[in-house]
Amino acid sequence: MSRPHYLGPTYRLGSEPPPEEPQGLTRLWRWLRPRLWPLRARHGAAALAAAVWALGLYGLLFMARLPGRLPTRLDWRAAAALVERDARPGDAVALSPVWAERARELLPERLPAHPGAPLVVMAYPGYAPGAEDLVGVRRVWLLSLPEAPGADRAIARDLAARSSGVDGPQRLGAIEVTRYDLRSPVLPLAFLPDRLGSARVRLGDAPCPAGRDGVFRCPGPPWLRVARQVREMDFLPRPCVYAHPGPDPASPLTIELPEVPMGRVLRGHTGIAGDAARRGSAPVRLSVKVDGEELGAVEEPPRRPGWHVFQLDTTRQAGRPHLLTFTVAARDPSARWFCFEAMTLP
């Protein structure tokens, strides 16, 4: 291959000048094009090898940086000590990201200064106003990992939107601790799943006695029972009254709760637990009575999983304790595990 003259190309007078040599990217493309096109198997193999190499390099860099982005055990203990010192009854802890479950290992189940007050730890995907009731919670301590993979500020924004005051954030190593004072906390006069121990349960006219474990067992198949349980409803753990409609629609399941303090609103949720939510051909009906008088009814539709809210007006009954009666019935009770909860609000 001859080298170009150092003075540049030459040509004879009267002839066309030679074409200019391509430069830069154009020259590189002209060199690559015959080697890349038409595509062959080796080109695909080379592209796959390059992608694997790039992903492997990214994974190595990610793992090398990960320890510095996560809190140490000392960071967790410092955050737990702060919450133990300053938390009070009505406080709860929220985690962000939701997978930061290490906090449950170090946070106390009950406040040291108030042994009768539990410390609730929440890992909900969102706390926007109206999304979750946060029953009984006045203040929320947010333990967030701002540098961790998957971290974002969405949970902090949700809590700030429903709060009247914010204290923090306070940085403890790789953890940020922020306290949110809720503007309108949901403080029920009575949370009905917690009052199930004083209930009277019957299937039709047959009583369902309570066992030592607190479970009411009705005559018939072993699945005819009523209990307070925590079930996964709408992908989150929910305390609820777990009941199964009777096999005979003419003999519904009745739960009576005496001396329930009433406010202006009775609010609750209904849902079908487990795989039974995707089966069935008829809705489950929950009717509510106050002192034997029909207050209202809601229906849980078949094949529609979720945790569905209902609300009934109890202004006329407010200010005094009453007998609340819940009746669960279904025309197709097979494998219909019914969950419901309700609370009376001022």
Side-chain angles (χ1 to χ4, degrees):
M1 178 177 179
S2 60
R3 299 177 60 185
H5 196 274
Y6 71 96
L7 293 179
T10 60
Y11 59 94
R12 295 180 181 180
L13 293 176
S15 64
E16 294 291 330
E20 295 184 1
E21 287 292 328
Q23 302 295 326
L25 293 177
T26 303
R27 185 174 183 177
L28 177 63
W29 171 244
R30 289 189 178 181
W31 182 83
L32 286 174
R33 184 175 181 180
R35 291 166 174 80
L36 295 178
W37 192 263
L39 294 177
R40 295 180 176 86
R42 66 173 182 270
H43 299 137
L48 178 61
V52 171
W53 180 85
L55 290 174
L57 180 61
Y58 173 79
L60 290 174
L61 293 175
F62 179 86
M63 295 303 296
R65 296 178 57 228
L66 187 59
R69 300 168 63 185
L70 296 178
T72 64
R73 185 173 181 83
L74 182 61
D75 297 341
W76 283 117
R77 295 173 78 175
L82 175 64
V83 174
E84 286 184 31
R85 186 193 69 187
D86 294 341
R88 61 194 189 199
D91 286 9
V93 175
L95 304 178
S96 175
V98 296
W99 50 258
E101 296 285 342
R102 181 70 180 277
R104 298 184 189 273
E105 179 184 347
L106 298 173
L107 287 171
E109 293 185 3
R110 297 185 177 274
L111 300 179
H114 306 275
L119 181 63
V120 179
V121 180
M122 305 178 296
Y124 297 161
Y127 298 84
E132 296 293 337
D133 284 333
L134 306 184
V135 178
V137 177
R138 297 176 182 270
R139 307 190 307 176
V140 177
W141 295 82
L142 176 62
L143 270 60
S144 60
L145 282 54
E147 305 298 330
D152 59 30
R153 296 289 179 178
I155 289 179
R157 289 193 297 268
D158 288 348
L159 289 172
R162 62 192 301 172
S163 300
S164 59
V166 179
D167 184 9
Q170 181 174 345
R171 193 67 181 253
L172 301 172
I175 302 176
E176 281 187 353
V177 181
T178 311
R179 195 194 74 219
Y180 295 89
D181 302 337
L182 300 185
R183 183 184 303 108
S184 301
V186 179
L187 304 175
L189 300 173
F191 185 60
L192 301 184
D194 292 343
R195 301 176 68 93
L196 189 60
S198 62
R200 295 189 296 268
V201 180
R202 66 178 188 272
L203 182 65
D205 296 327
C208 303
R212 292 183 179 180
D213 54 1
V215 178
F216 296 85
R217 291 176 172 84
C218 300
W223 40 261
L224 284 176
R225 61 183 188 265
V226 176
R228 184 199 189 277
Q229 294 191 3
V230 177
R231 306 292 299 186
E232 180 183 321
M233 306 296 299
D234 204 15
F235 305 107
L236 290 174
R238 317 276 188 181
C240 67
V241 176
Y242 193 53
H244 197 297
D248 183 4
S251 299
L253 184 68
T254 303
I255 304 168
E256 294 181 346
L257 296 167
E259 298 296 315
V260 178
M262 301 294 292
R264 297 179 181 276
V265 171
L266 176 72
R267 185 160 78 225
H269 295 80
T270 61
I272 304 297
D275 293 337
R278 295 172 176 82
R279 299 194 297 269
S281 58
V284 178
R285 188 175 189 271
L286 175 70
S287 64
V288 184
K289 293 181 180 179
V290 179
D291 294 333
E293 180 184 350
E294 184 83 22
L295 180 65
V298 293
E299 288 191 346
E300 181 64 28
R303 302 182 182 181
R304 201 183 84 180
W307 192 230
H308 307 122
V309 66
F310 70 89
Q311 185 162 304
L312 302 173
D313 183 20
T314 57
T315 304
R316 212 158 45 86
Q317 294 83 11
R320 301 184 309 278
H322 295 269
L323 172 66
L324 268 182
T325 304
F326 296 88
T327 302
V328 181
R331 293 191 302 274
D332 177 21
S334 59
R336 300 287 283 165
W337 285 109
F338 183 64
C339 259
F340 74 94
E341 59 91 359
M343 67 189 103
T344 58
L345 299 174

